[in-house]
């Protein structure tokens, strides 16, 4: 692949200056690639109606062509031309959760290029809740196709420096708006079929959705550990978010988790391996050896979601051989955290 110069511009995420955003939007209009912050993770954007531009996303990320992309919009009006119809259910959900970390799957219109949907008859759309993202989409004047701005398979980027590590020389611009808020990707909700189905857990929880659409269910692939269940969301079948190191995730009583991690750490260190321990504020002092990093507080799982991917990247930088990670309970954003940990570890979950 031809190396291109990646320009980074810094923009204040609270009060974005319109000039640099216009410059970024002009690149989008010319079919170029621009990474930008959202409230979940950094996205790698291209004009979603320009199939050549979208094809470049797959090349830059090394993303499999059968993994469809999410289109990002800045207004409700932008949705209409992209979909066959908007159901009453969809109206309600959009009104409640947009802008925000919820992606909705609709039946697509013929305006959406096949490269976006990987040939499916549906399209994924989201309206991000981030001042830079909204300004940037508005200024571009088109829906922006944007997967996470990382190399496929690696932990998602929550800082502009993560995007630089993965995509420098492969994309045209990075808008540096500081660290992203939520830290895990959007919830993917399929409204193209009945009942409404969550295909990927994320920033908006099942409990929140149930209040608006009581018949919402979770895809079997989220609930069951059975490897024979094929997820409906093509992206969910790949190993994802993975650090270089081997990874084990421990679930159960917190005291049992601490004992097990201490035991495994001792064993691996005795074998001459370097060990990273993904601990929490409440437990970090209980570990005896290894590189101990607190990912956040068990009493405030939002902090864990926020730090999750950057902690995995930190272990990569430190070249640890094994990551021993605490698991969390599934309430609130815990389900999204455990989904990412499960994928990052390749399903290496130890139940205590
Ligand atoms: P990413 O943008 O990398 O976080 O991934 C987007 C997620 O949305 C992946 O898991 C995709 O498989 C999923 N997705 C995108 N479009 C569709 C669609 N039309 N139907 C089902 N899942 C989709
Ligand atoms: Mg991704």
């Amino acid at each position: 692949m031809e190396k291109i110069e990646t320009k980074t511009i810094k923009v204040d995420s609270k009060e974005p200056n319109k000039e640099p955003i216009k410059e970024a939007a002009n690149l989008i209009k010319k079919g170029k690639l621009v990474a930008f912050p959202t409230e979940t993770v950094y996205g790698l954007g291209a004009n979603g109606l320009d199939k050549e531009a979208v094809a470049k996303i797959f090349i830059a990320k090394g993303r499999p062509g059968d993994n469809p992309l999410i289109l990002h919009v800045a207004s409700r009006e932008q949705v209409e031309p992209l979909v066959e119809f908007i159901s009453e259910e969809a109206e309600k959900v959009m009104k409640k959760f947009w802008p925000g970390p919820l992606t909705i799957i609709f039946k697509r219109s013929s305006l959406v290029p096949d490269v976006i949907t990987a040939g499916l008859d549906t399209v994924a759309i989201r309206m991000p809740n981030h001042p830079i993202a909204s300004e940037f989409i508005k200024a571009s004047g088109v829906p922006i196709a944007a997967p996470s701005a990382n190399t496929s398979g690696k932990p998602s980027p929550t800082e502009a420096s993560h995007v630089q590590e993965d995509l420098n020389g492969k994309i045209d611009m990075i808008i540096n708006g500081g660290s992203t808020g939520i830290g895990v990707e959007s919830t993917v909700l399929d409204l193209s079929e009945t009942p409404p189905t969550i295909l990927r857990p994320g920033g908006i929880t099942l409990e929140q959705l149930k209040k608006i659409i009581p018949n919402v269910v979770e895809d079997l692939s989220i609930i069951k550990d059975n490897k024979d269940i094929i997820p409906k969301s093509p992206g969910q079948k790949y190993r994802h978010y993975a650090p270089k190191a081997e990874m084990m995730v421990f679930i159960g009583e917190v005291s049992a988790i601490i004992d097990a991690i201490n035991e495994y750490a001792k064993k691996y260190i005795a074998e001459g391996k370097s060990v990273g321990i993904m601990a929490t504020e409440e437990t970090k002092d209980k570990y005896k050896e290894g590189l101990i990093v607190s990912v956040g507080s068990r009493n405030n799982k939002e902090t864990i979601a926020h730090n999750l991917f950057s902690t995995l990247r930190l272990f990569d930088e430190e070249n640890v051989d094994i990551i021993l990670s605490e698991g969390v309970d599934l309430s609130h954003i815990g389900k999204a955290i455990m989904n990412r940990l499960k994928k990052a570890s390749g399903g290496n979950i130890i139940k205590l």
Side-chain angles (χ1 to χ4, degrees):
M1 191 181 151
E2 187 196 340
K3 198 166 157 56
I4 50 182
E5 198 186 323
T6 305
K7 183 173 174 184
T8 298
I9 55 171
K10 213 166 162 33
V11 176
D12 181 350
S13 68
K14 298 228 165 57
E15 279 176 66
N17 182 339
K18 295 216 164 120
E19 275 316 304
I21 291 189
K22 227 188 260 167
E23 188 188 342
N26 282 335
L27 288 175
I28 291 291
K29 289 177 191 162
K30 287 189 203 147
K32 310 268 185 190
L33 301 184
V34 177
F36 63 101
T38 78
E39 79 278 30
T40 58
V41 302
Y42 272 77
L44 176 59
N47 176 352
L49 302 180
D50 175 346
K51 59 178 196 288
E52 268 105 50
V54 173
K56 290 184 199 163
I57 291 181
F58 287 86
I59 296 169
K61 278 181 61 85
R63 183 176 175 104
D66 66 349
N67 190 2
L69 302 178
I70 298 171
L71 287 178
H72 292 70
V73 297
S75 71
R76 156 80 179 64
E77 289 67 48
Q78 269 187 300
V79 177
E80 247 146 76
L82 304 171
V83 303
E84 208 172 76
F85 66 96
I86 299 177
S87 65
E88 229 171 85
E89 212 166 44
E91 291 284 6
K92 276 200 272 184
V93 169
M94 286 192 287
K95 194 154 173 253
K96 175 74 184 170
F97 297 108
W98 279 8
L102 181 75
T103 296
I104 302 174
I105 311 278
F106 296 88
K107 289 274 182 215
R108 64 182 278 201
S109 77
S110 55
L111 188 67
V112 180
D114 282 339
V115 60
I116 294 281
T117 66
L120 299 172
D121 64 354
T122 53
V123 61
I125 307 179
R126 169 166 117 81
M127 190 192 293
N129 184 17
H130 189 290
I132 294 179
S134 329
E135 272 305 322
F136 171 57
I137 300 165
K138 261 186 236 157
S140 303
V142 288
I144 302 275
S148 48
N150 53 327
T151 300
S152 257
K154 290 219 346 183
S156 299
T158 55
E159 303 272 354
S161 62
H162 301 160
V163 183
Q164 247 148 8
E165 269 163 34
D166 283 13
L167 299 177
N168 194 32
K170 296 180 176 175
I171 64 176
D172 300 278
M173 184 179 271
I174 300 169
I175 307 177
N176 179 354
S179 82
T180 60
I182 298 173
V184 291
E185 295 84 347
S186 59
T187 301
V188 177
L189 174 69
D190 189 352
L191 291 183
S192 74
E193 284 187 66
T194 315
T197 307
I198 297 176
L199 303 184
R200 173 176 76 182
I204 301 288
T205 63
L206 174 69
E207 294 79 14
Q208 284 174 293
L209 285 167
K210 271 204 170 142
K211 288 194 184 135
I212 310 297
I213 36 170
N215 60 335
V216 63
V217 297
E218 289 175 304
D219 188 46
L220 279 181
S221 67
I222 296 176
I223 307 163
K224 295 256 162 74
D225 281 336
N226 190 340
K227 290 213 163 57
D228 298 332
I229 297 172
I230 299 168
K232 276 208 208 124
S233 201
Q236 291 295 90
K237 70 178 184 238
Y238 294 106
R239 176 141 190 233
H240 245 146
Y241 323 117
K244 284 184 280 186
E246 198 183 307
M247 184 167 168
M248 293 164 83
V249 182
F250 297 83
I251 54 174
E253 291 287 330
V254 177
S255 59
I257 293 177
I258 295 166
D259 289 346
I261 289 183
N262 270 324
E263 226 169 87
Y264 274 97
K266 191 172 167 194
K267 168 176 147 331
Y268 285 124
I269 289 168
E271 288 171 10
K273 292 187 174 139
S274 64
V275 170
I277 297 179
M278 195 139 90
T280 47
E281 281 307 298
E282 292 78 12
T283 60
K284 63 180 187 211
D285 297 330
K286 303 270 183 354
Y287 295 109
K288 303 197 175 81
E289 44 194 338
L291 173 63
I292 301 151
V293 181
S294 166
V295 68
S297 167
R298 292 186 155 270
N299 299 322
N300 181 358
K301 286 206 282 294
E302 278 71 23
T303 59
I304 299 180
H306 176 81
N307 295 320
L308 184 65
F309 290 130
S310 59
T311 306
L312 292 177
R313 282 185 181 256
L314 183 128
F315 286 130
D316 268 356
E317 269 166 41
E318 297 294 330
N319 278 313
V320 304
D321 299 310
I322 315 265
I323 299 168
L324 304 174
S325 172
E326 294 180 14
V328 295
D329 71 74
L330 297 176
S331 63
H332 306 291
I333 205 163
K335 206 171 262 173
I337 294 170
M338 282 309 296
N339 169 270
R340 306 313 188 265
L341 286 176
K342 193 167 153 187
K343 290 192 183 296
S345 66
N348 210 357
I349 308 272
I350 317 290
K351 286 192 187 131
L352 300 167

